[in-house]
Amino acid sequence: MPAFDDSTTRHVLTPSSLNRLVRDLLGDALPQVWIEGELSNVARPASGHVYFTLKDSGAQVRCAMFKMKASTLRFRPVDGLQVMVRAKVGLYEPRGEFQLVAEYMEPSGEGALQREFEQLKARLNAEGLFDPSRKRALPHYARRIGVITSATGAAVRDVLSVLARRWPLAHVEILPVPVQGREAPPAIVAMLRKASACARYDVVLLTRGGGSLEDLWAFNEEIVARAIHASAVPVISAVGHEIDFSIADFVADLRAPTPSAAAELLVPDAVAVGRHLRQLQQRLLAVQLGRLQGQSQRVDHLLARLQAQRPQARLQRDRERLVHLQRRLTTVLREQDQRRRTRLERLHARLLARHPRNQLPLLQRRLAEQDQRLRRAITQLLQRRQTQLRHDGRALHAVSPLATLERGYAIMFDADGKVLRSAANVATGTPLRARLADGELALRVCED
């Protein structure tokens, strides 16, 4: 660092060079620091950067987290939240303001984790991942069960013990994964996807023993929740103790308070099932015995009816019925014969009445009457026609040219027989004919 001595040559700095010098000094002295404090004046403009103040009871410092780093935040920074920040110490040169450039930020303490838990829970609930309508019922008698948990934890021993005691017929496969730490969430997601894709299991149990909120945090990760939601196989979640709730519990098809309780929910009790089967067997035997007794009673009843209806009695009844039917048949035939005889006599009388020999005089009288009526009609018709003809002749004669000729007129015709209507253009010596009332005259035109 250069020394400044007024007794020698002055080294004069501009504000820009001074701020740059201070920035470099701070960057060299404190390249990266961890700092814990309370968020204040949090702002997130449209640029995507996050600006805030980090403070404690005695001081505060301005901070900035740029868009690329801010996009990796797993929670929403708000005023009053206690956080841990990894940052570079620097100076904002245009205003000469001391500030921290944050590269990573996480909530501080269990209270912060709880707030992060509540924020994620509210967001996933709003998306419908907790909707009861999408939860599937577990199979009543699961044959293959996949248990995603730590292979060495106490939870797996409890689960195997309960399953073996309650339902030895179930085939249980342990799908080992780490259940806490950074490697736990991706491992759990990968195992859930594998169990879903293989279509081998009737149900999957996701479980681990109890612990602090930090210990159980792998089951509060968003990627784990979405993997449970996407699973093609029903998932039951049993994380921690009865008082512990995780995001996985809300997304799963069923939440169990403990791993042991989950095992009891997964399979029926073999003892209870055996007892129920024995009860069903006893009921079946009782039903069969009742039906046999009923059939036996029916056979006895039919036998009594058969004895009451001896063949000799039935033959006697049939003989009597046959005699009765023969009498009815004789009566019916006699009545039918009488009806037919009566009808035949009636038809014979009608036939005699319509014999041609008896019909001929009547038809001759009708023919004579029709002949007289026809002659009278013809005579009357001829008279009417003659009268009409005379009337039409008189009317026709009244308008005929011959009537005009009778009054002294004549009709002139030229040599071609055409009516001569004018004297013009008729040459002397032209032969003509004159039609009179009683005949024709041959004429020739002469000079005056």
Side-chain angles (χ1 to χ4, degrees):
M1 177 177 176
F4 297 97
D5 187 357
D6 291 341
S7 61
T8 60
T9 304
R10 290 184 177 180
H11 295 277
V12 180
L13 300 175
T14 64
S16 297
S17 60
L18 176 61
N19 286 346
R20 191 162 43 249
L21 179 61
V22 173
R23 183 200 64 187
D24 294 340
L25 290 173
L26 290 173
D28 293 339
L30 298 170
Q32 191 177 80
V33 295
W34 281 92
I35 183 171
E36 181 177 6
E38 180 183 337
L39 290 176
S40 177
N41 301 321
V42 178
R44 194 162 194 167
S47 62
H49 307 319
V50 179
Y51 300 100
F52 56 93
T53 299
L54 201 60
K55 66 179 182 179
D56 60 12
S57 59
Q60 65 180 19
V61 59
R62 295 182 62 84
C63 305
M65 176 176 267
F66 298 119
K67 179 179 180 180
M68 183 176 297
K69 299 296 184 180
S71 63
T72 63
L73 290 175
R74 297 187 305 175
F75 68 101
R76 182 182 174 208
V78 294
D79 289 355
L81 187 64
Q82 194 78 10
V83 294
M84 291 279 291
V85 177
R86 187 182 70 233
K88 292 181 178 180
V89 181
L91 187 77
Y92 184 58
E93 295 179 41
R95 291 200 296 266
E97 293 181 353
F98 170 67
Q99 71 171 8
L100 299 180
V101 179
E103 295 182 344
Y104 174 79
M105 180 165 51
E106 65 182 22
S108 177
E110 186 168 320
L113 288 178
Q114 186 62 36
R115 284 192 293 270
E116 184 177 351
F117 173 89
E118 296 298 336
Q119 289 179 359
L120 179 60
K121 177 183 173 183
R123 181 157 55 85
L124 296 182
N125 187 34
E127 293 183 23
L129 270 68
F130 304 163
D131 190 355
S133 63
R134 59 156 292 276
K135 296 184 183 296
R136 296 160 293 189
L138 301 182
H140 292 292
Y141 300 97
R143 293 179 298 174
R144 290 186 176 273
I145 303 172
V147 182
I148 301 178
T149 187
S150 171
T152 59
V156 69
R157 293 193 297 272
D158 294 341
V159 169
L160 292 176
S161 175
V162 173
L163 292 178
R165 172 175 50 84
R166 287 177 60 85
W167 195 249
L169 298 178
H171 180 75
V172 183
E173 294 185 10
I174 305 302
L175 307 178
V177 293
V179 291
Q180 68 182 65
R182 292 185 178 181
E183 70 278 7
I188 294 173
V189 169
M191 190 61 74
L192 281 169
R193 291 174 179 171
K194 181 178 178 182
S196 175
C198 72
R200 177 179 175 84
Y201 306 105
D202 298 323
V203 64
V204 170
L205 171 60
L206 179 63
T207 185
R208 67 148 288 161
S212 64
L213 183 60
E214 290 84 353
D215 294 337
L216 305 179
W217 193 255
F219 299 89
N220 294 323
E221 292 287 352
E222 182 176 356
I223 58 172
V224 174
R226 295 194 181 278
I228 295 173
H229 181 265
S231 174
V233 182
V235 177
I236 181 171
S237 174
V239 178
H241 299 299
E242 187 171 355
I243 60 173
D244 297 322
F245 281 88
S246 66
I247 298 296
D249 293 336
F250 295 108
V251 183
D253 296 287
L254 181 66
R255 184 253 176 183
T258 63
S260 299
E264 292 182 358
L265 294 172
L266 274 173
V267 295
D269 184 2
V271 175
V273 171
R275 185 167 51 251
H276 180 62
L277 289 176
R278 286 190 295 273
Q279 292 174 354
L280 292 178
Q281 184 181 25
Q282 292 174 358
R283 289 177 58 187
L284 180 60
L285 290 174
V287 170
Q288 290 178 340
L289 181 59
R291 288 185 177 181
L292 287 175
Q293 291 176 349
Q295 293 296 330
S296 178
Q297 293 175 359
R298 184 170 181 272
V299 169
D300 294 339
H301 177 68
L302 292 175
L303 182 60
R305 288 182 60 187
L306 181 60
Q307 292 176 351
Q309 298 179 356
R310 297 187 305 277
Q312 294 82 359
R314 294 188 61 182
L315 286 174
Q316 182 62 33
R317 285 195 300 271
D318 290 342
R319 288 194 193 98
E320 294 175 357
R321 186 168 180 270
L322 179 59
V323 171
H324 176 69
L325 291 176
Q326 286 176 343
R327 291 174 180 172
R328 285 185 58 188
L329 179 60
T330 302
T331 303
V332 170
L333 290 175
R334 186 181 301 114
E335 291 174 353
Q336 287 183 352
D337 183 63
Q338 183 62 37
R339 284 196 299 269
R340 287 171 181 170
R341 287 178 180 276
T342 303
R343 185 169 180 271
L344 182 60
E345 291 174 357
R346 188 168 54 252
L347 292 176
H348 181 69
R350 290 176 61 186
L351 181 61
L352 290 177
R354 294 178 179 274
H355 194 278
R357 185 176 54 207
N358 299 326
Q359 293 287 325
L360 186 58
L362 178 61
L363 293 176
Q364 287 176 345
R365 286 196 301 272
R366 288 182 181 178
L367 180 60
E369 291 175 357
Q370 294 295 334
D371 181 64
Q372 292 176 4
R373 291 176 62 187
L374 180 60
R375 289 177 184 277
R376 286 196 300 270
I378 291 175
T379 301
Q380 292 174 1
L381 179 62
L382 287 175
Q383 291 174 355
R384 287 196 301 271
R385 294 292 174 87
Q386 288 174 355
T387 302
Q388 183 68 33
L389 181 61
R390 286 194 297 271
H391 179 269
D392 292 343
R394 287 193 298 270
L396 182 62
H397 183 72
V399 296
S400 173
L402 297 178
T404 304
L405 295 179
E406 289 177 353
R407 294 197 296 272
Y409 291 94
I411 300 175
M412 303 298 293
F413 298 92
D414 59 12
D416 297 329
K418 297 180 179 179
V419 176
L420 188 64
R421 301 180 184 279
S422 176
N425 300 326
V426 179
T428 302
T430 301
L432 302 173
R433 287 185 303 109
R435 174 74 179 271
L436 301 175
D438 56 353
E440 293 186 1
L441 294 176
L443 305 177
R444 187 179 297 278
V445 179
C446 298
E447 294 182 1
D448 290 339

